[in-house]
Amino acid sequence: MTLATWITLSRLLAVPILLYLLRWDATEPTAVSARWIAVAVFVIAAGTDWLDGYVARRFNQVSDLGKFLDPLVDKLLILVPLLALIELRVVPAWSVAVILVRELAIAGWRVNQPKISGANWWGKIKTVVQIVALALLIAPLSGLWTAVGLGVYGLAIALTIISGVIYLKDA
């Protein structure tokens, strides 16, 4: 296995850690520290998505395993914390269903293509906005920041739909 693939797998290890840290409602005293740690774990893990791609391209470590694992791990890193946020009543289930359906539709479509095309700019912007939204929603913020987090999350949902339609239209 290449270094780039190991970096991808390190991102996967963040998923159960996030689930553990997100098991409390943010209003509980013990949850505040756990939620800030979860934000740090999430942001670092999300940053490894850029890092593994850079390492793979820079050191010619692009592999079939990496091409398979990277988008799968990316989806898990986004969707698993969102599922925890449903349980904590931070986000509605329908919004996560929209993201899940888009991701499954694009992944299913890609499997049947002779040449796998990567994410377009809309998909990259969608991912960045999802990461920012999740970081804000995981953080134990209140007042205006809660509204900002939900607003960015709404933008992420819109970009999820737009990027999916554009990806399928252009393919």
Side-chain angles (χ1 to χ4, degrees):
M1 270 199 318
T2 66
L3 176 59
T5 302
W6 281 109
I7 294 169
T8 299
L9 290 174
S10 75
R11 187 164 63 255
L12 182 60
L13 291 175
V15 172
I17 294 168
L18 287 168
L19 277 178
Y20 176 78
L21 293 169
L22 290 172
R23 70 183 192 273
W24 298 290
D25 185 309
T27 59
E28 296 178 33
T30 54
V32 173
S33 295
R35 294 287 283 268
W36 282 116
I37 294 168
V39 171
V41 168
F42 177 75
V43 168
I44 291 167
T48 67
D49 184 28
W50 171 85
L51 181 62
D52 65 15
Y54 172 79
V55 168
R57 288 183 299 277
R58 175 73 169 90
F59 299 105
N60 198 25
Q61 295 183 354
V62 175
S63 68
D64 288 338
L65 179 60
K67 288 179 189 177
F68 171 76
L69 281 179
D70 185 63
L72 175 64
V73 172
D74 291 348
K75 286 161 187 41
L76 290 172
L77 186 64
I78 296 294
L79 289 166
V80 170
L82 281 172
L83 293 173
L85 293 175
I86 291 171
E87 185 175 359
L88 294 170
R89 294 186 167 95
V90 175
V91 298
W94 68 262
S95 66
V96 178
V98 167
I99 294 170
L100 179 61
V101 166
R102 184 264 190 210
E103 298 303 337
L104 289 175
I106 297 297
W109 182 87
R110 281 181 175 163
V111 167
N112 293 316
Q113 299 307 305
K115 182 178 183 276
I116 305 285
S117 59
N120 59 29
W121 283 106
W122 283 98
K124 291 177 188 289
I125 292 167
K126 176 242 353 159
T127 299
V128 169
V129 173
Q130 285 178 342
I131 290 167
V132 171
L134 266 169
L136 289 169
L137 294 173
I138 291 169
L141 302 170
S142 60
L144 176 63
W145 285 107
T146 301
V148 169
L150 290 171
V152 174
Y153 182 62
L155 177 60
I157 294 167
L159 287 171
T160 296
I161 295 166
I162 292 166
S163 66
V165 168
I166 290 172
Y167 186 88
L168 292 174
K169 181 182 82 53
D170 290 347

